[in-house]
Amino acid sequence: MQRTTPRSAQAATDASRRRFLKTAAGSTLMLGLPATHLQARAAGQPDPGELEILRQRGAADRLVLEITADNLAVFHAPLLDMGQGIHTALAMLVSDELDAHPDLTRVQIAAAGGSQGYRTAYSLSMRLMWQPVRRLAAEARARLVTAAAQRWNLDANTLVTRDSTVIAPDGRQASYGELSAAAAQVGEPAVSTAPRDPSGYRQVGQGTNRANARAIVTGAQQYTQDLDVPGAVHAVIARPERIGAGIAGWNDARARALPGVIDIVAITPGGDGVTGGIAVLARTSHEAIMARDALEIEWTPGPLAGRSDADLRAQLVAALPPLLPATPGSESLDASYSYPYLAHAPMETLGAIANVQGESAEIWYASQFPDQATQAVARATGLDTENIRLHIPPCGGAFGRRLHHEAAVEAALVSQATGRPVRLHWTREDDLCAGRYRPMSEHRLRASWISGQVIALEHAVAAAWSDLGTPMTAGIDPSAMASYSGVRSVYRFGLDQQKMVERVLDVPTGSWRATYSGFITVSQEMFIDRLADAMGQDPLQFRLQHLAAERVRACLGKVAEMGNWGAALPAGHAQGLGVLNEFGSAAACLVQVDATNGNEPRITRAFFAVDVGVPLNPRGIEAQLQGCLMDAWAAMFRVGNHLRDGTMAERNFDSFAWPRFDEAPREMSVFVFPASAGGEPGGSGELGFPPAAAACANAYARATGRTIESMPILGGA
């Protein structure tokens, strides 16, 4: 039960920090925060404070909370739920702050607008939304209470709220839906609009299943290709196998003669990652693929003809920043690590539906960066962004891939060229051979010590971005990229520095889960194990001695306790550790590996301890960490993309060996530290990957005695 409190001296402050639109209220209560609020939070700037009463639905440049006449609380979130469960967590927060019944709380994706600038990336969602959502819900609750007080002619401070209802001392009740229209007319709430103390929340901090979990596992969840868009015909694109190649000539006579073929058009290469090719339209996706395969196309050689990843890697090795010479009289250790290109490989490949008619377009594409997607479509088609309507369906995984929008642009171009609504499919081969990749990278590390004291640790990195990686980094001077990456050593040594250079090569790249930490932190954590061994110290104690952040030390101590670090294990079995301090959170992972068959290792046990500040949904955090562990195992041991004569060798899951169910550990436990007083949520979607990747590699190295330098450890194509 939530008891409201007097507004008192806070009233003047609240009034001065809000700007209310002087418009007639609608039939329901709708409150919005302009995009400037989140933009300021993302930039670490002061809260601009605007809050608006909205008259129209779908205000695309605002965060919107709506109380409907049928008693639903609906938050329009400008964030894509890609499987990480952020919509479930946001619904829990809205419900707690508003004192709404959980079954009457909804979160749905907001419409894309031209000025939002929102993106779902870098595990920022909960960090950005924590204060705005609480503020909107607190304001709505105060207005609903005020409306009830006016209806009953009672002191608003005598009313309480519970389960989407306002209750009077004499037992009278009114639902939020009944009060919604009147609440929209309230000029100044009669009770405080300050958010509640989170310690009083009933759902936040309690584990909750995802709201759409059943729909996902039963196949009821609708993704882009499931949507019923009248008249949409199926389309696939014949793409060059060699990256960057173009069309020298083509003949479509055989393809046009096949059943179901509707049209065939050429797509010109352009910006925003559009590689060009021949688009085939047909009644079904199968007919489109069969006709695509019947096309006769002559391709130009392209910039990577005759080149392999070994050639590109040599450029990176040559570009590595030099390390300082070891201090005279010191002992030192050097190490090298190499990482391949790596596809995102989400279960749902890219795809989009587009209907371009005249000067307007309607697009269905699950985008992590909807405004950029809209602008990319506008550039390609010549349409005004105001005439492009972008729908954002749920998607089956992204891991950074959907920060880019090639599929949306291609679908729009094909629709514009043919005058038809188009349902564009990316096949798995398209995804693995013609997509984007985590950049190849090279690492050199050197540590020096005297009398058991580390006096220097250097880490030099060279990474092969094609376009500075992602829209988040576009336009940033490469010399500033190391500081932009946000990756910092979590250890306290005498001299501890990282140097990073980037080489723009011809293989398309993009952010991949944990972006820079996915190879920088992992390399450092593998090196820490080797350094501890060279200095004759236990890896756990060495980390505890040198960790700079207490919250990371607490996570590490917890997983050591959970996994019984140091226990006697059979030959060929070993444990490994990894830690991370990023995304506003801290994490540690302990993994136990059975490597009795060194070529077929498996994880037997895994343990995480994480401090995310305020854990909105611990069950959701646990699910993210489970996914991160399996991604980490795959990336370190089994998968990578290898360039052969300008073509990626891995074409499908037969050669890109992502883990199956039987490769998951039999035992996995996650400990989530309780909420810290006065804290805010940190990120968790990418949190588990770097420490899990390092822990897996370290366990394998200890079990086999092998020195790890090249990923994937078990090789690839």
Side-chain angles (χ1 to χ4, degrees):
M1 182 178 296
Q2 166 65 18
R3 191 172 297 279
T4 53
T5 55
R7 197 170 170 81
S8 63
Q10 185 182 326
T13 301
D14 284 354
S16 66
R17 69 181 173 84
R18 290 189 176 88
R19 175 174 56 87
F20 290 99
L21 289 183
K22 304 301 182 182
T23 63
S27 59
T28 62
L29 174 61
M30 296 187 72
L31 299 172
L33 281 169
T36 49
H37 185 99
L38 279 196
Q39 292 162 355
R41 281 184 62 80
Q45 298 170 353
D47 184 348
E50 296 98 334
L51 188 147
E52 301 174 347
I53 307 171
L54 303 178
R55 181 173 55 180
Q56 301 294 330
R57 285 181 178 269
D61 60 345
R62 295 170 175 85
L63 301 173
V64 176
L65 176 62
E66 177 183 10
I67 310 300
T68 71
D70 55 355
N71 210 26
L72 294 177
V74 182
F75 177 58
H76 301 261
L79 298 168
L80 178 64
D81 196 321
M82 303 169 281
Q84 74 276 51
I86 57 175
H87 287 185
T88 299
L90 288 171
M92 295 166 68
L93 183 57
V94 169
S95 177
D96 269 343
E97 186 60 59
L98 186 59
D99 220 357
H101 194 287
D103 293 342
L104 299 175
T105 307
R106 304 281 189 273
V107 174
Q108 64 186 49
I109 192 72
S115 61
Q116 289 178 326
Y118 301 142
R119 67 197 75 174
T120 311
Y122 198 60
S123 296
L124 273 170
S125 299
M126 294 301 102
R127 289 184 277 171
L128 290 184
M129 288 290 172
W130 171 251
Q131 293 293 0
V133 169
R134 295 173 67 218
R135 212 176 120 197
L136 282 172
E139 178 82 26
R141 190 184 68 245
R143 290 176 170 276
L144 292 162
V145 168
T146 302
Q150 292 172 350
R151 172 184 290 191
W152 296 326
N153 195 26
L154 294 174
D155 181 352
N157 294 300
T158 66
L159 307 182
V160 296
T161 56
R162 183 175 63 245
D163 290 339
S164 302
T165 304
V166 181
I167 305 170
D170 59 9
R172 281 180 288 179
Q173 299 185 11
S175 73
Y176 287 174
E178 294 175 64
L179 297 167
S180 179
Q185 303 285 351
V186 170
E188 182 74 12
V191 292
S192 174
T193 60
R196 304 166 60 183
D197 185 333
S199 64
Y201 288 165
R202 294 181 295 174
Q203 292 190 74
V204 167
Q206 306 301 313
T208 302
N209 288 333
R210 286 190 56 181
N212 61 340
R214 179 177 293 275
I216 291 172
V217 299
T218 60
Q221 178 72 60
Q222 286 204 324
Y223 300 100
T224 302
Q225 300 299 354
D226 300 314
L227 301 177
D228 183 13
V229 176
V233 299
H234 296 267
V236 295
I237 295 178
R239 308 173 188 276
E241 289 196 359
R242 191 174 284 138
I243 293 172
I247 301 172
W250 58 294
N251 186 323
D252 64 2
R254 285 198 307 143
R256 285 188 180 275
L258 292 177
V261 174
I262 295 170
D263 205 349
I264 300 176
V265 296
I267 300 300
T268 303
D272 299 298
V274 176
T275 58
I278 309 297
V280 177
L281 285 66
R283 293 174 306 184
T284 68
S285 59
H286 174 73
E287 290 172 332
I289 290 171
M290 295 298 291
R292 178 203 64 185
D293 294 344
L295 290 169
E296 298 173 15
I297 307 173
E298 180 184 353
W299 301 100
T300 63
L304 291 169
R307 303 178 70 191
S308 69
D309 48 284
D311 302 320
L312 304 186
R313 189 173 301 285
Q315 295 184 49
L316 293 184
V317 172
L320 275 166
L323 299 177
L324 295 174
T327 303
S330 69
E331 298 180 80
S332 65
L333 174 70
D334 285 19
S336 302
Y337 300 103
S338 297
Y339 296 83
Y341 287 111
L342 185 58
H344 300 75
M347 289 306 296
E348 180 196 14
T349 60
L350 293 185
I353 302 174
N355 186 13
V356 180
Q357 300 293 330
E359 298 301 314
S360 65
E362 196 166 10
I363 311 290
W364 290 260
Y365 176 66
S367 174
Q368 292 180 250
F369 204 162
D371 296 335
Q372 285 273 342
T374 302
Q375 292 160 18
V377 170
R379 285 191 294 269
T381 59
L383 301 178
D384 193 303
T385 56
E386 297 301 316
N387 295 330
I388 298 172
R389 185 180 182 189
L390 177 63
H391 304 276
I392 308 173
C395 78
F399 316 113
R401 181 64 183 92
R402 289 177 180 269
L403 283 163
H404 298 271
H405 359 273
E406 298 98 309
V409 175
E410 290 170 345
L413 288 172
V414 175
S415 177
Q416 187 177 49
T418 61
R420 295 174 177 273
V422 167
R423 185 186 305 274
L424 178 69
H425 303 268
W426 272 52
T427 65
R428 181 61 62 190
E429 289 78 9
D430 291 338
D431 177 58
L432 291 179
C433 302
R436 291 178 178 269
Y437 309 89
R438 186 183 74 174
M440 175 190 292
S441 64
E442 287 290 314
H443 302 251
R444 298 291 183 270
L445 292 96
R446 174 175 294 160
S448 302
W449 66 95
I450 296 176
S451 301
Q453 182 68 39
V454 178
I455 59 173
L457 190 152
E458 286 187 279
H459 186 172
V461 185
W465 294 108
S466 64
D467 53 3
L468 299 185
T470 127
M472 293 190 292
T473 61
I476 297 177
D477 185 338
S479 64
M481 203 55 92
S483 60
Y484 174 82
S485 74
V487 179
R488 293 287 181 272
S489 172
V490 296
Y491 298 98
R492 188 184 293 111
F493 297 122
L495 171 67
D496 192 342
Q497 63 177 358
Q498 296 173 359
K499 310 172 192 176
M500 183 164 68
V501 298
E502 301 196 319
R503 286 293 176 265
V504 178
L505 302 179
D506 294 307
V507 176
T509 59
S511 287
W512 197 99
R513 200 171 200 175
T515 314
Y516 292 95
S517 288
F519 45 75
I520 292 178
T521 297
V522 174
S523 297
Q524 178 177 264
E525 283 297 288
M526 288 193 289
F527 185 68
I528 289 295
D529 255 41
R530 290 173 64 175
L531 180 58
D533 184 64
M535 297 178 67
Q537 298 189 34
D538 174 76
L540 172 65
Q541 294 306 319
F542 185 80
R543 284 178 169 84
L544 292 173
Q545 178 184 348
H546 293 287
L547 280 169
E550 178 56 39
R551 65 195 307 221
V552 183
R553 189 178 294 109
C555 290
L556 181 58
K558 186 63 181 178
V559 294
E561 172 192 328
M562 295 166 67
N564 193 20
W565 172 265
L569 297 173
H573 293 244
Q575 295 179 328
L577 297 167
V579 299
L580 180 71
N581 188 26
E582 200 183 353
F583 310 118
S585 300
C589 180
L590 184 153
V591 166
Q592 187 167 313
V593 166
D594 175 359
T596 48
N597 178 348
N599 295 320
E600 291 291 337
R602 62 168 300 117
I603 308 171
T604 58
R605 304 166 74 219
F607 304 91
F608 281 98
V610 297
D611 180 347
V612 299
V614 177
L616 272 77
N617 184 6
R619 192 168 297 167
I621 294 170
E622 180 180 8
Q624 287 301 295
L625 295 172
Q626 290 172 340
C628 282
L629 175 67
M630 300 317 297
D631 280 358
W633 181 254
M636 296 303 288
F637 285 84
R638 298 192 183 280
V639 298
N641 293 86
H642 299 84
L643 197 69
R644 305 286 185 265
D645 187 22
T647 299
M648 286 299 179
E650 293 77 14
R651 302 190 57 81
N652 212 310
F653 284 138
D654 57 343
S655 54
F656 193 81
W658 213 256
R660 270 53 173 182
F661 279 120
D662 63 355
E663 296 181 74
R666 298 292 188 265
E667 179 184 356
M668 179 175 176
S669 297
V670 175
F671 179 84
V672 181
F673 280 89
S676 53
E680 295 195 0
S684 61
E686 301 166 274
L687 179 65
F689 179 85
C696 290
N698 288 336
Y700 181 80
R702 288 165 62 85
T704 61
R706 298 184 188 179
T707 298
I708 295 171
E709 292 187 331
S710 181
M711 270 53 73
I713 294 168
L714 300 179

